[in-house]
Amino acid sequence: MILLAPMEGLLDHMLRDVLTRVGGIDRCVSEFIRITDMLLPRRVFTRIVPELLQGGRTPAGVPVRAQLLGSDPICMAENAARLAELNPAGIDLNFGCPAKCVNRHRGGAVLLDEPELIAEIVGAVRRAIPADMPLSAKMRLGFMDQSRTLECALAMAGSGAEELVIHARTKADGYKPPAYWDRIAHVREALGPSVGVVANGEVWTVEDARRCLQESGCDALMLGRGMVANPGLALAVRGLTGGGAQGLDWPALQPLMLQFWREVQAHVQPKHQAGRLKQWLHYLRRHYPEAGEAYQRVRTINAPAELERAYFAQAA
């Protein structure tokens, strides 16, 4: 199984749409919906996860779990109940975000120092949503160190999370290589077969995926930055299982980039539109030499119409 990761400010519903059109992704997780001290109106959930208006699936038919982030068990439970009414493909809880602005307000990875509170949150959400609605959680190996990794994982699983995605670094590690995939294996062994464990972190290539699966002992991956940089990665990774699928070459990617650009034009303020395309091109440079040339050509252009002429006329 291959999951598509959430990435705040990058891998949102527009890029989810495009990347799931490529194929190879079994399920997505939305970027987080921040829960503080109020019951959010339904329009907030559908704005961040518009797939909720499409049966909880991307236009390509890939299911999307909506992710909640917060530290108040009661508020999390109340909002989860409202979210469940919109019939997502499941609910995911964020205990992994390393962003300082999130951690400072007691959200994301900072909670990995409070396994008792984690258990309260997961348990409250589990009781608040239908028994048949999937509940998962995403975590890192810890906040500043790995001393409570297993304690936190057991708290989540013991309180009702049926699947854990583990990013194989601590908050202190950030996104610096390496990812410690072997540490996931210890958690998976302790949890046993009743809880699914998904490995995440620093998977950029098919070889990375092979090593990650081997070292973690998992049979499921979550792809994030690697999939943004190489939209054909999930298809290529599926070749590991004998499917023989190949990746995506640069010409085949161009119609999808145009689809992404049209979605950006429809959903993003004009002053930010050029930045979104350049942001994706910046990631694509890691895998496609052509993206480096294209990025240099458009990097100083901020007017959407001018950017469209400079990039898509040339790409065509």
Side-chain angles (χ1 to χ4, degrees), residues 184-298:
I184 298 175
H186 301 307
V187 178
R188 188 187 60 79
E189 292 165 6
L191 294 178
S194 62
V195 179
V197 177
V198 181
N200 173 235
E202 209 61 25
V203 177
W204 296 93
T205 66
V206 171
E207 176 58 22
D208 292 338
R210 184 194 66 76
R211 288 182 48 238
C212 178
L213 293 172
Q214 181 180 51
E215 293 181 23
S216 68
C218 296
D219 56 10
L221 288 172
M222 175 175 273
L223 303 177
R225 294 178 300 159
M227 187 72 180
V228 176
N230 175 10
L233 181 59
L235 287 177
V237 168
R238 287 196 176 280
L240 289 175
T241 62
Q246 300 300 311
L248 193 71
D249 65 19
W250 183 250
L253 178 60
Q254 298 317 298
L256 294 167
M257 295 193 72
L258 181 59
Q259 171 70 26
F260 173 71
W261 177 243
R262 295 297 178 229
E263 295 202 28
V264 167
Q265 290 179 308
H267 298 289
V268 177
Q269 292 182 356
K271 65 180 179 180
H272 299 305
Q273 290 175 6
R276 287 304 307 271
L277 184 65
K278 287 188 282 186
Q279 180 188 40
W280 192 16
L281 277 171
H282 174 73
Y283 275 92
L284 291 169
R285 292 190 300 173
R286 183 173 181 127
H287 183 73
Y288 297 98
E290 301 94 333
E293 185 278 328
Y295 181 81
Q296 290 302 317
R297 190 170 69 246
V298 303

Side-chain angles (χ1 to χ4, degrees), residues 2-236:
I2 300 178
L3 279 60
L4 184 63
M7 294 180 67
E8 181 69 14
L10 173 63
L11 218 170
D12 55 13
H13 67 93
M14 295 179 290
L15 204 46
R16 279 199 298 275
D17 178 0
V18 171
L19 294 180
T20 54
R21 289 172 191 257
V22 176
I25 296 295
D26 295 295
R27 191 200 314 146
C28 304
V29 179
S30 78
E31 64 273 45
F32 65 75
I33 302 165
R34 181 66 187 269
I35 306 301
T36 54
D37 58 355
M38 64 179 290
L39 182 59
L40 296 175
R42 288 175 177 80
R43 67 177 181 275
V44 174
F45 297 118
T46 57
R47 174 176 55 82
I48 297 174
V49 194
E51 294 96 341
L52 293 168
L53 301 173
Q54 303 166 172
R57 293 175 178 267
T58 70
V62 178
V64 181
R65 288 193 186 178
Q67 188 181 81
L68 301 179
L69 179 148
S71 59
D72 184 306
I74 295 174
C75 286
M76 288 284 281
E78 290 176 347
N79 280 278
R82 174 161 286 183
L83 174 57
E85 294 171 359
L86 298 170
N87 297 312
I91 292 176
D92 189 76
L93 303 177
N94 184 319
F95 300 111
C97 180
K100 290 181 180 179
C101 61
V102 171
N103 295 165
R104 189 165 58 245
H105 291 92
R106 212 177 177 209
V110 71
L111 295 179
L112 296 172
D113 279 341
E114 301 184 66
E116 299 85 1
L117 178 56
I118 285 175
E120 286 185 47
I121 293 169
V122 176
V125 170
R126 179 71 274 174
R127 292 187 294 271
I129 64 177
D132 61 350
M133 179 159 287
L135 178 63
S136 54
K138 189 168 191 286
M139 62 177 286
R140 283 179 169 248
L141 294 176
F143 187 56
M144 299 308 292
D145 59 51
Q146 301 180 28
S147 61
R148 307 191 84 170
T149 305
L150 187 55
E151 193 177 354
C152 289
L154 290 170
M156 295 174 201
S159 301
E162 62 194 48
E163 178 184 270
L164 300 184
V165 176
I166 304 178
H167 183 114
R169 288 180 278 223
T170 66
K171 183 270 179 190
D173 294 329
Y175 291 98
K176 299 188 302 291
Y180 302 97
W181 299 317
D182 59 309
R183 314 295 167 84
I184 298 175
H186 301 307
V187 178
R188 188 187 60 79
E189 292 165 6
L191 294 178
S194 62
V195 179
V197 177
V198 181
N200 173 235
E202 209 61 25
V203 177
W204 296 93
T205 66
V206 171
E207 176 58 22
D208 292 338
R210 184 194 66 76
R211 288 182 48 238
C212 178
L213 293 172
Q214 181 180 51
E215 293 181 23
S216 68
C218 296
D219 56 10
L221 288 172
M222 175 175 273
L223 303 177
R225 294 178 300 159
M227 187 72 180
V228 176
N230 175 10
L233 181 59
L235 287 177

